[in-house]
Amino acid sequence: MIIAEDLLLLAYDDESGKPTGDHAQLDYRLAGALLVQLAVEGRVDVAQTDLVRPDGSRVKAGRAVVRDGSPTGHPALDRALAVVAEKPRTPKDLVVPLSKGLRDALLAGLAGRGVLRRESGKVLGIFPTTSWPTADATHEQRLRALCREVLLGSRVPDDRTAALIAVAHGSGLVRGLVAKGDRARAEARAKELAEQSWASEAVRKAVDEMVAAVVLTAVIIPATTATMMTS
């Protein structure tokens, strides 16, 4: 299970098989989760200074670069590596291309492994709809318990769990992991993990820019929609 898949399981209601939060934000956070995992594993880095590649091409500081392009064993991560390798871009500029088709691919993959169940239906008897209720909750239950322990201070997170919580921070998903009375405490801990130096500079850069891209999208999309409706 990769970080993006864990994030997806936390974002979908087990019974209805529908996402519980903002669709656009989820797509961009999933993309960010891929980039963050590649950075955690040392496969992708963010150039701290201008670089010259072996072929003579230049990469400006702040652009993501592939350090290890060997197969990862997961199709979503392999595709993400290929996207990063296309041309030098900042982590923020990679979020949109990485998000294309990602959620459907992850959902189908989880269904193929028996974690989720694909159910098709129609709205008003006309419009097709698809839901993804839980088929096997074993992994998600362990994941939620682990995240609760980290958020409430009874467990020190490893880099992977810290990365997951950092990517989820600010999405509303953190609140759903703990009891109502513990929400403020959990949010504060998630904020700490998103800001602490638990990871390399590359990972922090990826997290920071991914969150910035999500926030920007949340502002631009409603504004653009409102303009189109009033024009």
Side-chain angles (χ1 to χ4, degrees):
M1 203 75 71
I2 62 175
I3 295 174
E5 289 172 329
D6 283 346
L7 185 67
L8 194 60
L9 291 176
L10 296 180
Y12 269 63
D13 182 80
D14 290 353
E15 295 184 3
S16 72
K18 296 291 186 179
T20 57
D22 183 280
H23 287 225
Q25 283 209 11
L26 176 57
D27 287 333
Y28 287 109
R29 287 181 188 277
L30 291 171
L34 290 183
L35 191 58
V36 167
Q37 178 150 1
L38 292 174
V40 167
E41 295 179 357
R43 291 177 172 272
V44 168
D45 196 3
V46 177
Q48 302 302 303
T49 60
D50 290 357
L51 302 175
V52 178
R53 289 173 165 174
D55 62 3
S57 61
R58 294 182 176 274
V59 178
K60 292 183 179 180
R63 270 57 174 180
V65 292
V66 174
R67 300 296 189 188
D68 178 1
S70 60
T72 66
H74 195 288
L77 291 176
D78 288 341
R79 175 185 172 276
L81 272 177
V83 171
V84 175
E86 287 175 352
K87 60 181 179 180
R89 284 174 282 194
T90 65
K92 183 169 62 177
D93 290 336
L94 283 164
V95 169
V96 172
L98 286 173
S99 71
K100 293 179 179 179
L102 175 58
R103 193 198 315 194
D104 287 344
L106 293 176
L107 287 168
L110 288 169
R113 283 143 61 192
V115 179
L116 300 179
R117 183 175 66 256
R118 177 172 184 156
E119 294 186 351
S120 300
K122 290 186 178 181
V123 176
L124 302 177
I126 302 174
F127 305 104
T129 181
T130 303
S131 59
W132 304 86
T134 297
D136 181 354
T138 305
H139 174 77
E140 185 180 349
Q141 289 172 351
R142 288 199 299 262
L143 174 66
R144 287 179 176 273
L146 172 61
C147 289
R148 277 194 296 271
E149 291 175 358
V150 170
L151 290 168
L152 299 181
S154 62
R155 179 189 288 262
V156 176
D158 57 19
D159 285 355
R160 188 185 184 287
T161 306
L164 171 62
I165 293 175
V167 172
H169 172 59
S171 67
L173 295 179
V174 172
R175 297 171 60 84
L177 292 169
V178 298
K180 185 176 180 179
D182 292 322
R183 286 177 180 173
R185 180 180 168 192
E187 291 281 9
R189 179 57 175 150
K191 185 173 185 293
E192 287 178 2
L193 289 174
E195 295 174 350
Q196 284 178 355
S197 57
W198 52 269
S200 68
E201 182 64 27
V203 179
R204 287 292 309 282
K205 180 82 171 176
V207 171
D208 290 346
E209 291 209 10
M210 180 275 299
V211 171
V214 169
V215 172
L216 183 62
T217 302
V219 172
I220 289 177
I221 288 180
T224 303
T225 303
T227 301
M228 293 174 63
M229 292 178 65
T230 57
S231 62

